[in-house]
Amino acid sequence: MERFEKAERLRRLPPYLFKEIDRKKAEVRARGVDIIDLGVGDPDLPTPGHIVEAMKKAVEDPSNHRYPSYSGMEGFREAVADWYQERFNVTAEPLKEVLSLIGSKEGIAHFPLAFVNPGDTVLVPSPAYPVYNIGTLFAGGRSFFMPLLAENGFLPDLEAIPHDVASSARAIFINYPNNPTAATAEPEFFERVVAFAKKHGIIVCHDAAYSEMTFDGFHPSSFLEIKGAMEVGVEFHSLSKTYNMTGWRIGFAVGNASAIEGLGAVKSNIDSGVFQAVQMAGIEALRGDQGCVAEMCAIYQRRRDVMTEGLISAGFKLEKPKATFYLWVKVPAGYTSAGITARLLEEAGLVVTPGNGFGEPGEGYFRMALTQKEDRLKEAIKRLKALSL
Ligand SMILES: *Cc1c(COP(=O)(O)O)cnc(C)c1O
């Protein structure tokens, strides 16, 4: 074997979604094209000032310069529990049912290491945030992909999962409001997931990264509001999207004490927790004035309206989403996801993400992230109209 031949787990990885896009983007930019990047879901808005101030103060305090507690400061976990009570009317025991994470991506990626043995099956939506599949692969597990289709409102069809697959699966990942489809789920769907998980002895992992990025007065439920959910699952949250804190690396998991304990055991052997100053900033985010969240939603809602209407008037088809900063747009007739993505980049300088990059059932769509200012979105619409697809 070659010295630096990669391990199986790396060689088996699907190609990195943005690698090819990044290469093409650099090529087009080198030609002097003014690029409008609607590709990556990274907020363009700054972290609210009161959170930055809390961080500044905490950084100055030497007691925060030491190793943090592995599972998170009590104060942070209490702030999470109080936020859950206030926002969802869900009671969680801070020290047993809450865990701090170095971003929710970290917790999602590590979760299968705690509960999935080599060869075990995990139910993973497709298209989806890639980490559910990759975390499963890294644990030696196998993903059984559940297609998210328009005709089912982009919810997985649990009835369509073969009985032997369901009964041998260790876990199911779900994510609503959804990335990349921007679909939302009603509590009735979560009830079906709880019943399914109980019937088959499966752990439910609900990724709720976009629960606060919502429009038109929509307030999605927590999965944990459902009767019996605490017995079967965990919910992952992120401060990244809610408070424009993607770079800070802080999130949390709430849910079943055994699930939290298992994930905590993996983490305590791999990382040493979240920098306390960042947790102090997180406490300020969760306990402080939530006006900043409402302001952020208002900004994205305006962008959503501008872009949805612009796309429709340019001849595209899409649903106006109730949540997330994504638009899931149907590819015009005669194109594939890759084909339209390439044409938008080369002829209009617009970076979007091909739907099939999130999984094969995403073919026929592309995703647009509303992470540019309104004037840039208007410029993007102008260019789309000029393309005459
Ligand atoms: C952005 C995102 C996350 C991760 O966020 P962190 O920054 O790691 O907390 C998790 N899930 C989905 C679906 C996301 O889009």
Side-chain angles (χ1 to χ4, degrees), residues 16-37 336-354 356:
Y16 175 56
L17 175 56
F18 292 101
K19 189 172 162 195
E20 180 60 16
I21 300 170
D22 285 347
R23 192 189 60 75
K24 272 214 192 105
K25 193 165 83 180
E27 206 179 278
V28 173
R29 182 169 280 141
R31 295 206 305 258
V33 175
D34 164 35
I35 287 186
I36 303 177
D37 194 338
T336 59
S337 292
I340 188 72
T341 303
R343 179 139 190 238
L344 292 181
L345 180 54
E346 275 156 29
E347 293 176 39
L350 303 182
V351 178
V352 302
T353 316
N356 63 321

Side-chain angles (χ1 to χ4, degrees), residues 119-125 136 142-147 157-173 196-197 199-203:
D120 282 352
T121 300
V122 175
L123 306 174
V124 172
T136 299
R142 274 187 281 208
S143 299
F144 177 88
F145 291 107
M146 308 177 288
D157 180 0
L158 302 174
E159 302 293 315
I161 300 166
H163 188 83
D164 59 320
V165 173
S167 62
S168 66
R170 292 290 295 140
I172 180 171
F173 280 100
F196 176 80
K199 180 172 171 197
H200 297 291
I202 295 175
I203 305 171

Side-chain angles (χ1 to χ4, degrees), residues 17 20 40 42 81 86 105 113 116 127 176 179 220 244 252 294 299 311 324 361 363:
L17 175 56
E20 180 60 16
V40 190
D42 190 357
E86 172 88 17
K105 180 180 188 176
L113 287 181
V116 175
Y176 294 95
N179 173 14
N244 301 322
F252 52 90
I299 292 170
L311 281 162
T324 79
E363 177 56 51

Side-chain angles (χ1 to χ4, degrees), residues 105-355:
K105 180 180 188 176
E106 178 267 308
I108 291 165
H110 283 145
F111 192 84
L113 287 181
F115 295 100
V116 175
N117 285 312
D120 282 352
T121 300
V122 175
L123 306 174
V124 172
S126 179
Y129 183 59
V131 186
Y132 316 134
N133 174 40
I134 289 169
T136 299
L137 289 179
F138 278 2
R142 274 187 281 208
S143 299
F144 177 88
F145 291 107
M146 308 177 288
L148 304 187
L149 307 175
E151 68 231 46
N152 301 324
F154 300 107
L155 302 172
D157 180 0
L158 302 174
E159 302 293 315
I161 300 166
H163 188 83
D164 59 320
V165 173
S167 62
S168 66
R170 292 290 295 140
I172 180 171
F173 280 100
I174 52 172
N175 163 223
Y176 294 95
N178 185 259
N179 173 14
T181 68
T184 56
E186 294 299 319
E188 182 272 332
F189 169 71
F190 292 146
E191 282 168 13
R192 278 190 280 136
V193 173
V194 170
F196 176 80
K198 284 198 166 165
K199 180 172 171 197
H200 297 291
I202 295 175
I203 305 171
V204 179
C205 299
H206 181 228
D207 179 354
Y210 296 96
S211 68
E212 308 312 300
M213 193 184 271
T214 61
F215 314 125
D216 311 324
F218 173 63
H219 287 290
S221 316
S222 159
F223 168 75
L224 296 174
E225 285 175 48
I226 306 304
K227 194 166 169 286
M230 203 54 116
E231 291 154 44
V232 297
V234 283
E235 195 155 65
F236 292 92
H237 279 270
S238 172
L239 277 72
S240 291
K241 315 289 163 55
T242 307
Y243 301 102
N244 301 322
M245 293 175 76
T246 45
W248 298 57
R249 309 316 301 135
I250 183 161
F252 52 90
V254 179
N256 181 274
S258 301
I260 294 293
E261 190 191 354
L263 178 55
V266 170
K267 283 173 56 56
S268 66
N269 284 286
I270 293 182
D271 64 64
S272 299
V274 180
F275 180 25
Q276 285 205 20
V278 171
Q279 294 190 63
M280 307 283 279
I283 293 170
E284 178 60 29
L286 293 169
R287 291 204 187 279
D289 187 354
Q290 300 300 301
C292 57
V293 179
E295 276 169 37
M296 167 203 69
C297 290
I299 292 170
Y300 287 124
Q301 182 169 322
R302 272 201 307 277
R303 292 181 184 178
R304 173 204 66 167
D305 291 342
V306 165
M307 202 65 211
T308 306
E309 280 143 34
L311 281 162
I312 288 171
S313 67
F316 288 90
K317 291 199 175 80
L318 74 155
E319 297 276 337
K320 197 185 240 193
K322 283 195 285 187
T324 79
F325 54 8
Y326 302 114
L327 300 179
W328 189 238
V329 189
K330 265 194 95 67
V331 163
Y335 286 91
T336 59
S337 292
I340 188 72
T341 303
R343 179 139 190 238
L344 292 181
L345 180 54
E346 275 156 29
E347 293 176 39
L350 303 182
V351 178
V352 302
T353 316

Side-chain angles (χ1 to χ4, degrees), residues 45-57:
L45 306 166
T47 307
H50 65 288
I51 301 174
V52 174
E53 284 309 314
M55 172 77 175
K56 281 188 190 163
K57 237 171 70 196

Side-chain angles (χ1 to χ4, degrees), residues 68-110:
S69 115
Y70 287 148
S71 30
M73 295 168 71
E74 277 190 43
F76 178 73
R77 288 187 284 164
E78 279 162 9
V80 168
D82 288 347
W83 182 81
Y84 247 76
Q85 190 74 60
E86 172 88 17
R87 168 68 178 82
F88 300 117
N89 201 22
V90 167
T91 307
E93 169 62 50
L95 301 189
K96 288 197 175 131
E97 295 169 331
V98 179
L99 186 64
S100 71
L101 301 172
I102 311 173
S104 62
K105 180 180 188 176
E106 178 267 308
I108 291 165
H110 283 145

